[in-house]
Amino acid sequence: MAQTGFYGQRLAQFLRLKNVPSSLITRSLRSTEVAVTEAWNDNPEPALSGSYREDAYNVSLKLQDYPDCELWDNGKCVVKADIRAGATYLYDLKRDPRYVIDKPFHSLHFYVPRSALDGIAEQFGAPRIGELTCPLGVGHDDAIMRHLGASLLEALRRQDEANQLFIDHTMLALTAHVAQTYGGLQPINELARGGLASWQVRRACERLDSDLGGTLSLQRIAAELGLSVSHFSRAFRISTGLPPHQWLLRQRVKAAKQLMSVRDLTLSEIAISAGFANQSHFTKVFSAHVGVSPAAWRREALGVRDRES
């Protein structure tokens, strides 16, 4: 699918980057793309950033200080500000925000289009929000953004280990947080407090179990049950005690235990068969859930010395 928003190639052009940074994308809100990109340059050539306009927002979590930043709005330099690491800054892309690139930078950029904000309002049963609060050069001490950003930063750097359910879940939470915190979103109808019907739990679990690799999206599973993504995510957690991506990890561990009873299979073969990216990913997740490494668990369970490769 062709890129449509302010991430990847377009963000690289805007920031004058030689290489296109990787992005994570979800399409859980009206099939609209919401994306996160990590961008940095330790030795930029001084220049004014590129130009880009769209009815969307760039929500940027700064990972490095950027002192005396010259910020532009609608073609004019309007302010200089000290940009602080750990703070969140919002930019209205309709106003063509730009800045002078003359120092090293490192940030996470979240692309949140208007259609995604409309979609989250719809799922919360709320009126559409107006403009987000985003005074140029003003940073926000937002602990939730730092927490979500840290999770997505890890996923960006280990994309082979990040399943689509996790990306969808985290980006949905981020969009809802932005809409409520900076757009004043006020839900009218609370999401259902109850869980899924028994047939819905069974169907959802069957779908998740059939795709241990985690390629199915939240949107697809929710649509099959006739539910919004927000409703499904909350109700599934109520019914099972876990969000979908965590439930999937538990099933991977369960499948791996069953496979480890086959002594001819190596741990690397078991890792791939159970939906993990590789043996290292398998060991990390299994150890976190079980408390011991796969090799140690297998030796204890079978009473034999396991092959490690």
Side-chain angles (χ1 to χ4, degrees), residues 208-285:
L208 290 169
D209 237 349
S210 70
D211 179 47
L212 290 178
T215 59
L216 281 175
S217 68
L218 281 180
Q219 183 183 32
R220 182 172 175 180
I221 299 172
E224 290 181 6
L225 301 179
L227 302 173
S228 71
V229 174
S230 298
H231 186 161
F232 168 68
S233 296
R234 174 176 289 199
F236 184 91
R237 185 168 190 164
I238 292 172
S239 295
T240 66
L242 294 169
H245 68 279
Q246 289 290 345
W247 189 91
L248 180 66
L249 286 180
R250 188 183 67 179
Q251 292 304 106
R252 288 177 177 175
V253 170
K254 180 179 177 181
K257 286 181 176 179
Q258 294 173 340
L259 290 168
M260 280 193 284
S261 65
V262 181
R263 298 179 182 179
D264 289 338
L265 290 176
T266 65
L267 291 183
S268 59
E269 291 169 336
I270 290 169
I272 300 303
S273 297
F276 295 97
N278 47 51
Q279 186 175 337
S280 175
H281 183 213
F282 170 39
T283 299
K284 181 173 67 176
V285 173

Side-chain angles (χ1 to χ4, degrees), residues 61-245:
L61 176 63
K62 304 303 181 183
L63 304 177
Q64 180 175 342
D65 286 342
Y66 196 93
D68 198 28
C69 179
E70 182 178 313
L71 294 160
W72 289 49
D73 179 76
N74 279 325
K76 296 180 180 179
C77 175
V78 296
V79 69
K80 285 191 176 183
D82 290 333
I83 305 302
R84 300 300 184 189
T88 296
Y89 295 79
L90 284 80
Y91 305 94
D92 184 348
L93 294 177
K94 295 192 304 300
R95 300 186 62 84
D96 188 24
R98 308 174 74 183
Y99 80 102
V100 173
I101 303 173
D102 57 1
K103 290 175 284 290
F105 61 85
H106 188 189
S107 303
L108 278 180
H109 295 271
F110 299 93
Y111 165 65
V112 183
R114 164 59 58 183
S115 52
L117 295 174
D118 292 343
I120 204 74
E122 181 180 276
Q123 295 208 12
F124 275 84
R128 292 184 179 182
I129 65 175
E131 302 300 322
L132 298 185
T133 301
C134 48
L136 205 59
V138 176
H140 303 271
D141 182 13
D142 191 329
I144 293 176
M145 283 297 300
R146 286 195 294 272
H147 173 74
L148 294 173
S151 297
L152 289 166
L153 185 61
E154 183 72 12
L156 277 163
R157 294 174 178 179
R158 298 175 178 269
Q159 292 199 32
D160 57 341
E161 298 179 9
N163 65 70
Q164 190 61 45
L165 292 174
F166 167 77
I167 297 168
D168 291 346
H169 176 85
T170 308
M171 294 294 280
L172 181 68
L174 183 139
T175 306
H177 172 70
V178 168
Q180 290 180 296
T181 304
Y182 305 105
L185 177 69
Q186 295 292 331
I188 293 177
N189 302 319
E190 290 190 24
L191 296 177
R193 293 182 180 277
L196 299 171
S198 58
W199 72 269
Q200 291 175 318
V201 175
R202 183 171 63 254
R203 177 70 177 275
C205 291
E206 287 173 351
R207 295 294 281 128
L208 290 169
D209 237 349
S210 70
D211 179 47
L212 290 178
T215 59
L216 281 175
S217 68
L218 281 180
Q219 183 183 32
R220 182 172 175 180
I221 299 172
E224 290 181 6
L225 301 179
L227 302 173
S228 71
V229 174
S230 298
H231 186 161
F232 168 68
S233 296
R234 174 176 289 199
F236 184 91
R237 185 168 190 164
I238 292 172
S239 295
T240 66
L242 294 169
H245 68 279

